[in-house]
């Protein structure tokens, strides 16, 4: 927390920090690149294994208890809800839009596109991360591919 506070103090000294629109583009490119690397490694691992590990119902009872499976399911739902927590900044974005077209129409379209693309990538990354390793899948997409073993 102290390190995060120091970084915030340093960033607060940057003049016209609100004009760093390019920072969002850099963050988007980095996220897209991370996801693409994970997807590529997942497909490569499935090809190398020659089969898909795991099942459609997730981790097997016996590997974990029924209570642990329920808990992990709720944790996964919480992770998904946290990933879509951008709604707080939607009002700020909407205030910066110019008319016409109306802000509501623009925001509906932007939200539909962003949620659709995000959902697609999260689902692909989840499937590509789980399919090669099944029950032994790592919690982090890239760690299961031998980088941290």
């Amino acid at each position: 927390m102290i390190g995060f506070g120091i970084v915030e103090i340093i960033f607060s000294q940057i003049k016209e920090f609100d004009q760093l629109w390019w920072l969002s583009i850099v963050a988007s490119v980095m996220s897209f690149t991370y996801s693409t690397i994970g997807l590529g490694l997942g497909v490569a691992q499935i090809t190398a294994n020659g089969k898909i590990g795991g099942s459609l119902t997730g981790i097997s009872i016996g590997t974990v208890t029924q209570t642990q499976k329920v808990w992990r399911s709720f944790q996964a739902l919480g992770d998904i809800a946290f990933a879509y927590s951008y709604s707080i900044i939607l009002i700020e974005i909407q205030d910066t839009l110019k008319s016409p077209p109306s802000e509501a129409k623009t925001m509906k379209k932007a939200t539909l596109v962003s949620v659709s693309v995000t959902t697609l990538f999260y689902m692909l990354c989840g499937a590509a991360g789980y399919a090669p390793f099944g029950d032994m899948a790592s919690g982090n997409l890239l760690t299961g591919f031998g980088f941290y073993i």
Side-chain angles (χ1 to χ4, degrees):
M1 287 191 325
I2 292 171
F4 183 73
I6 291 170
V7 170
E8 279 192 10
I9 290 170
I10 292 169
F11 280 159
S12 69
Q13 303 307 312
I14 297 174
K15 293 183 188 313
E16 298 180 11
F17 188 71
D18 61 325
Q19 301 299 320
L20 297 177
W21 54 267
W22 56 268
L23 193 59
S24 293
I25 294 172
V26 170
S28 297
V29 168
M30 289 174 57
S31 180
F32 181 75
T33 302
Y34 175 87
S35 299
T36 305
I37 290 169
L39 288 171
L41 288 171
V43 170
Q45 189 67 43
I46 292 168
T47 304
N49 291 348
K51 64 179 174 95
I52 294 177
S55 69
L56 288 177
T57 59
I59 195 164
S60 307
I61 301 293
T63 306
V64 296
T65 66
Q66 190 170 6
T67 305
Q68 288 173 323
K69 186 169 182 173
V70 170
W71 178 253
R72 288 181 181 186
S73 297
F74 283 126
Q75 276 185 311
L77 291 173
D79 290 344
I80 292 168
F82 180 74
Y84 288 102
S85 64
Y86 68 91
S87 60
I88 298 169
I89 63 168
L90 286 180
I91 295 170
E92 297 295 328
I93 294 170
Q94 191 169 354
D95 285 343
T96 64
L97 296 175
K98 294 178 175 62
S99 294
S102 72
E103 293 91 355
K105 187 175 183 181
T106 304
M107 289 303 293
K108 283 180 183 178
K109 185 176 180 181
T111 302
L112 176 67
V113 170
S114 65
V115 169
S116 299
V117 170
T118 303
T119 301
L120 176 71
F121 267 93
Y122 283 163
M123 295 302 288
L124 287 173
C125 288
Y130 179 72
F133 304 107
D135 292 348
M136 303 308 293
S138 174
N140 184 323
L141 179 62
L142 296 181
T143 59
F145 298 100
F147 297 119
Y148 299 103
I149 296 175

